[in-house]
Amino acid sequence: MGDLQLLTDAQMRQFVTEGYVFLKADFADEFHVKLSETLDQVYKEEGNPGNNILPRIPDLAKVFDHPVISGALSSVLGEDYMMHPHRHGHFNRNAEAGGWHKDSYWGHYKMRNHHPWWAMIFYYPQEVTLDMGPTGIMPGTQCYQTRTFAENETQEERKATGRAGTFALVHYDIWHRANANIAGKDRYMLKFQFMRRLAPTKASWDHHEDADTWVNPESYTSPIYEHEVIWRDTWNWLLGKENDVTQSDASQEQLAGWLNELESEDKAIRVRAADQLGLSGNGSNEVINGLTQALNDAFEPVALNAAYGLARLGEAGIDQLLKALLDDSVHVSRAAAYGASSAGKATVKGLMHILDSNNVQAVGCAVFALGEMGEAATEAVPKLVELMHAQNEIVRRNAVEAIGLIGSASEPSVKGLELGIQDADDQVRFMAGMALTKMGSKAQNAIPVIAHALNDENRYVRATAVDALYSMNTDKAKDILLKFLRDSRWCASTTPNSTF
């Protein structure tokens, strides 16, 4: 359908700060009308097709082939992104609003990726007005594990309204909800998930070199808490660059003011103070002590800014992050892990040391941080493979994901993923399958265990095994894959009313 229409620097800056971008593709109105009519028929006669919505309604494939949609996904996730096997049609005729939530990775205990490894598309095949229960998005909340706003705090909510064919591209971890549909009309929202296969090495959007340095977008407003330390880290990661740790020209008077503001009763003031202290790059004892104390702040945005700020303050800041990883509080340990991952290679040795701890929470956080570093943590792979024998399944889940994110296609890595795809825990097997898709033909020694996973009891393990074989692009993998796909062929026109 033509060349990809990549996002601009301005749109990418909005995605980094606010966690979403609204899109409009130039389909004819008739396309959405026909698709909506098919949805009505399928839902009425068969119910929600769930994960089978794409093969059941084949015209949906045209949506994700459109250069606006594929271009936006390529911009955020890289051109070799993958569609996740879970997809779902949301039908809303409910007069009550749904609850605010983040989508789940088989349970909300998993640490979330601040870097955009995952994204979702919300597609609306009919016009959506405010009274039809549009999806509500709380901008700027994609980095928060906790809900930082009250249930009824909706004044800054962005609602996905518009003509038929409106799309929302969102960070996987954005807080969102369904609004109340009081119009008496059916409203569909079709949700599809996508995954990045490889860490970025350069910009994958319509990027101009004069935009290499992060600048806060002019459009973002005060209700979005200030997280320039996080936004800079994400921007540089998307550009394939090391994090920017240049020191600002903040005066002693300014530093003292921000340190005092860390004690403010106003949480927005504390968030900004931690952000500014981190951006200062000033590694004085006073600043490091202030940010270390702020790691314990009960308001998550403050603790996150403190963690990313400490990562910019050299060895003394890193030492505090490594100590905080061992903290009894899961909130402190988790925030410290994000900071440690931002600090890069300088933290690898310290994180590897924590892997020997009996503190399961600390080990999990350290493993997460190593995975987020990608190739910089390659030396940790043998220890991560050892953790594939851990009794705790959460440790094994973190370890197998980290091996995939580090991306080393070494023999130990592949052996670790082979263990993972045969694990007793279905989430470990799923993550191992996803990790193997990143390695392509370099993991072809794992083909026998991947082939076995095609018959796994879990639907998502089977799906990632298909993707892993596809990514290998070898004759042996293709033969196994084609036989499986022929045997499991789906017919879109076979329904309860038309069985043959």
Side-chain angles (χ1 to χ4, degrees):
M1 295 185 68
D3 295 336
L4 296 182
Q5 296 184 31
L6 300 174
L7 297 183
T8 64
D9 283 317
Q11 287 175 305
M12 285 296 292
R13 290 183 193 280
Q14 179 189 337
F15 188 86
V16 169
T17 54
E18 302 190 34
Y20 77 97
V21 177
F22 288 138
L23 305 166
K24 187 77 172 90
D26 58 354
F27 288 103
D29 290 342
E30 291 76 16
F31 174 84
H32 304 296
V33 170
K34 179 184 175 183
L35 202 144
S36 295
E37 290 174 347
T38 305
L39 278 167
D40 286 337
Q41 180 182 354
V42 169
Y43 270 69
K44 180 180 179 180
E45 297 179 0
E46 306 165 30
N48 191 329
N51 289 339
N52 286 331
I53 192 169
L54 185 58
R56 180 64 188 89
I57 307 176
D59 275 350
L60 270 173
K62 298 176 183 177
V63 168
F64 301 107
D65 289 337
H66 193 284
V68 168
I69 306 306
S70 57
L73 287 165
S74 295
S75 297
V76 170
L77 300 175
E79 62 182 11
D80 52 358
Y81 66 85
M82 297 164 48
M83 181 184 284
H84 190 284
H86 173 65
R87 60 289 301 256
H88 195 72
H90 289 263
F91 174 77
N92 184 9
R93 205 174 188 182
N94 194 341
E96 295 184 1
W100 288 103
H101 65 283
K102 297 163 85 79
D103 277 24
S104 168
Y105 294 92
W106 282 345
H108 290 284
Y109 48 78
K110 181 186 181 298
M111 282 192 69
R112 306 295 181 126
N113 304 96
H114 290 175
H115 295 154
W117 281 99
W118 298 62
M120 294 189 287
I121 288 281
F122 300 157
Y123 163 49
Y124 304 87
Q126 75 289 293
E127 180 184 22
V128 180
T129 55
L130 283 172
D131 58 351
M132 287 177 64
T135 305
I137 297 167
M138 191 58 77
T141 58
Q142 65 273 13
C143 291
Y144 306 153
Q145 187 87 5
T146 55
R147 196 182 72 216
T148 56
F149 51 95
E151 185 70 34
N152 61 352
E153 190 178 342
T154 60
Q155 66 272 19
E156 300 305 330
E157 176 182 4
R158 306 292 193 266
K159 296 181 179 180
T161 59
R163 294 171 47 200
T166 294
F167 297 83
L169 169 62
V170 303
H171 189 293
Y172 184 90
D173 290 316
I174 198 80
W175 284 86
H176 61 283
R177 68 167 183 169
N179 277 278
N181 187 347
I182 58 175
K185 301 176 183 177
D186 295 345
R187 190 274 281 168
Y188 292 101
M189 183 273 274
L190 309 185
K191 180 189 74 176
F192 287 76
Q193 301 176 0
F194 299 85
M195 303 171 292
R196 172 183 286 277
R197 286 188 66 244
L198 301 173
T201 57
K202 60 180 181 179
S204 55
W205 63 96
D206 183 15
H207 175 63
H208 298 274
E209 289 186 2
D210 59 358
D212 272 2
T213 301
W214 174 263
V215 177
N216 290 342
E218 295 179 1
S219 60
Y220 99 91
T221 53
S222 56
I224 299 174
Y225 293 108
E226 294 184 47
H227 291 295
E228 189 173 341
V229 283
I230 300 178
W231 302 335
R232 281 179 175 268
D233 173 79
T234 301
W235 188 254
N236 287 321
W237 183 81
L238 285 165
L239 288 172
K241 296 167 51 179
E242 291 187 5
N243 198 16
D244 170 23
V245 293
T246 55
Q247 189 167 347
S248 74
D249 55 359
S251 68
Q252 290 301 313
E253 183 179 0
Q254 287 176 308
L255 293 171
W258 294 326
L259 286 167
N260 286 333
E261 288 176 349
L262 289 178
E263 307 298 326
S264 173
E265 293 184 4
D266 187 326
K267 55 191 178 185
I269 290 176
R270 300 200 308 275
V271 173
R272 181 178 183 277
D275 196 37
Q276 291 300 317
L277 286 167
L279 291 171
S280 76
N282 185 296
S284 66
N285 289 337
E286 292 79 10
V287 171
I288 288 175
N289 290 339
L291 290 177
T292 300
Q293 184 60 40
L295 282 174
N296 295 273
D297 196 296
F299 191 53
E300 186 182 9
V302 179
L304 289 176
N305 276 354
Y308 278 86
L310 285 167
R312 300 166 61 88
L313 302 183
E315 185 177 346
I318 290 171
D319 286 345
Q320 294 302 319
L321 289 170
L322 294 173
K323 290 176 183 176
L325 269 162
L326 295 163
D327 196 277
D328 290 337
S329 166
V330 61
H331 304 292
V332 174
S333 181
R334 188 167 57 214
Y338 288 119
S341 68
S342 174
K345 195 171 181 62
T347 61
V348 171
K349 295 290 187 185
L351 291 169
M352 289 174 63
H353 181 71
I354 292 175
L355 300 187
D356 295 324
S357 169
N358 292 324
N359 184 329
V360 172
Q361 171 64 34
V363 171
C365 287
V367 170
F368 171 87
L370 288 166
E372 283 293 297
M373 290 180 203
E375 290 184 357
T378 298
E379 66 179 294
V381 167
K383 289 188 74 70
L384 294 172
V385 173
E386 289 177 16
L387 291 178
M388 293 306 302
H389 298 285
Q391 290 187 349
N392 188 291
E393 67 274 9
I394 296 176
V395 171
R396 300 198 305 276
R397 291 170 190 169
N398 289 342
V400 77
E401 183 176 40
I403 293 170
L405 292 179
I406 290 171
S408 166
S410 63
E411 184 176 349
S413 293
V414 176
K415 288 291 185 184
L417 298 181
E418 286 185 78
L419 289 171
I421 207 165
Q422 299 174 87
D423 197 275
D425 182 76
D426 54 3
Q427 190 168 349
V428 175
R429 299 197 303 277
F430 166 70
M431 288 178 165
M434 285 205 306
L436 285 162
T437 67
K438 303 178 187 345
M439 297 190 177
S441 61
K442 296 177 182 177
Q444 59 184 301
N445 289 342
I447 287 178
V449 294
I450 299 173
H452 181 74
L454 291 171
N455 298 306
D456 196 277
E457 62 185 18
N458 185 281
R459 71 190 77 182
Y460 298 113
V461 176
R462 296 194 299 271
T464 55
V466 168
D467 287 327
L469 290 170
Y470 177 79
S471 71
M472 287 185 182
N473 198 30
T474 67
D475 289 342
K476 183 177 181 180
K478 288 178 182 177
D479 289 344
I480 294 170
L481 181 57
L482 287 172
K483 181 182 186 308
F484 171 77
L485 293 177
R486 289 178 66 194
D487 291 346
S488 59
R489 183 183 70 88
W490 172 274
C491 176
S493 56
T494 299
T495 70
N497 296 328
S498 177
T499 57
F500 62 90

